[in-house]
Amino acid sequence: MNRDFPFDYSSGPFNCLQSESSRALQELYYHHMFMATITFHGGMKSITYEWGDTFNNRLRSTAPDHFAMKSIAEKMNMYSSKSYQVGSSNDIVYAVRGGMEEWGYAGTWFNQENEVT
């Protein structure tokens, strides 16, 4: 289901929400307002937060509540038993299209042209 969400696409066709898991998450988001989510990916030891999409990577922009997410991530790292890399998805990992994190965070207030509405 990784990269199976309709975010940061400038032209079709959109082959998103193809997996049963991503459609189930879409339904959860449709019926509930989540204040925060955490995703787990194997192999990398990092605590990352939005932005991780190609549109905002090109602009070198940060999420509207970047400082709050950074503070939470730094506290999580401080209280963990390990030392993780901490930063935005674009800074720590790499930019992607169709990521669940950005879709879940900003999909409702970005329009189809990826501009803030």
Side-chain angles (χ1 to χ4, degrees):
M1 73 184 233
N2 200 14
R3 294 177 190 68
D4 193 22
F5 292 87
F7 188 78
D8 191 27
Y9 286 97
S10 57
S11 63
F14 304 118
N15 294 319
C16 302
L17 302 172
Q18 298 297 304
S19 72
E20 188 174 317
S21 298
S22 60
R23 288 191 306 273
L25 275 177
Q26 189 273 337
E27 285 297 313
L28 284 171
Y29 271 80
Y30 180 75
H31 293 288
H32 304 281
M33 179 181 282
F34 293 97
M35 298 303 290
T37 59
I38 296 174
T39 61
F40 294 90
H41 296 270
M44 184 170 209
K45 294 183 177 176
S46 65
I47 301 172
T48 59
Y49 45 86
E50 288 73 28
W51 292 121
D53 60 287
T54 59
F55 177 76
N56 286 294
N57 189 47
R58 282 192 312 272
L59 298 177
R60 298 300 303 155
S61 69
T62 58
D65 55 356
H66 167 82
F67 294 107
M69 291 188 294
K70 180 180 180 196
S71 176
I72 292 167
E74 288 171 345
K75 291 286 185 194
M76 289 171 65
N77 192 37
M78 186 175 81
Y79 289 110
S80 73
S81 60
K82 298 181 180 179
S83 180
Y84 295 90
Q85 288 183 299
V86 175
S88 74
S89 298
N90 277 335
D91 292 336
I92 302 296
V93 188
Y94 49 83
V96 301
R97 293 187 188 276
M100 191 285 290
E101 295 87 346
E102 277 65 39
W103 172 82
Y105 174 72
T108 58
W109 49 268
F110 259 56
N111 69 20
Q112 291 181 359
E113 288 76 37
N114 291 322
E115 296 171 356
V116 175
T117 57

